[in-house]
Amino acid sequence: MEHTQEACAKRQHVQIGARDGLLVHCLGSIPPAAGGCVAEFSFTLPAVPPDTRTAVAITLLELDQEGRAFPRGMRTLLLPAHHGARPMDVQAEGVRFILPAELDLSGDGVRRLVVQAESQYVDFHARCDMRE
């Protein structure tokens, strides 16, 4: 039995040479399989210090009819530093999760999702004088 999503998939063979370094290829039209959905999230990191990169993890869970949570994906991002003179809000958009219809646990067509997000600074510029 062939998986439904694979049956609808469009397969193309592409090649890239060892010295090319860049592959740009148009996949053409990819019609969506029946059902499923895409969940897209955006967020703001408030008051990010200058010259500080920020790591972000977003986890998506789906609840079944009894409220049990099932993982649907995790995205990790490294947001680049800004170079302003003072802390500023940094916005991120377009963090997507693809939710195939085969994983729908709702029973009534209303998918119940839980999004968990956390962030931390990767760089820090604190200095401590260790004087005797």
Side-chain angles (χ1 to χ4, degrees):
M1 184 170 122
E2 193 169 352
H3 186 274
T4 308
Q5 194 72 14
E6 291 173 5
C8 297
K10 181 188 240 182
R11 182 175 291 179
Q12 297 180 18
H13 295 274
V14 295
Q15 295 181 359
I16 186 168
R19 295 190 187 118
D20 292 343
L22 174 66
L23 171 67
V24 178
H25 180 79
C26 178
L27 293 174
S29 175
I30 303 174
C37 63
V38 175
E40 182 174 301
F41 300 98
S42 61
F43 56 90
T44 301
L45 299 172
V48 176
D51 303 316
T52 303
R53 296 173 297 169
T54 307
V56 178
I58 301 173
T59 304
L60 186 65
L61 306 167
E62 184 167 4
L63 303 178
D64 68 4
Q65 292 174 325
E66 284 87 42
R68 294 176 295 204
F70 293 85
R72 290 297 178 252
M74 178 181 187
R75 300 291 307 270
T76 56
L77 310 166
L78 179 62
L79 299 181
H82 71 83
H83 303 294
R86 55 186 72 205
M88 63 186 284
D89 294 353
V90 174
Q91 296 181 336
E93 298 177 338
V95 180
R96 289 183 172 192
F97 293 85
I98 299 173
L99 303 170
E102 292 86 355
L103 297 179
D104 185 351
L105 301 172
S106 67
D108 61 3
V110 178
R111 297 182 83 161
R112 293 159 188 86
L113 305 174
V114 176
V115 181
Q116 299 172 337
E118 59 183 302
S119 65
Q120 70 180 32
Y121 297 136
V122 174
D123 303 304
F124 57 93
H125 309 289
R127 290 199 170 93
C128 178
D129 290 332
M130 301 293 285
R131 299 182 186 183
E132 294 180 38

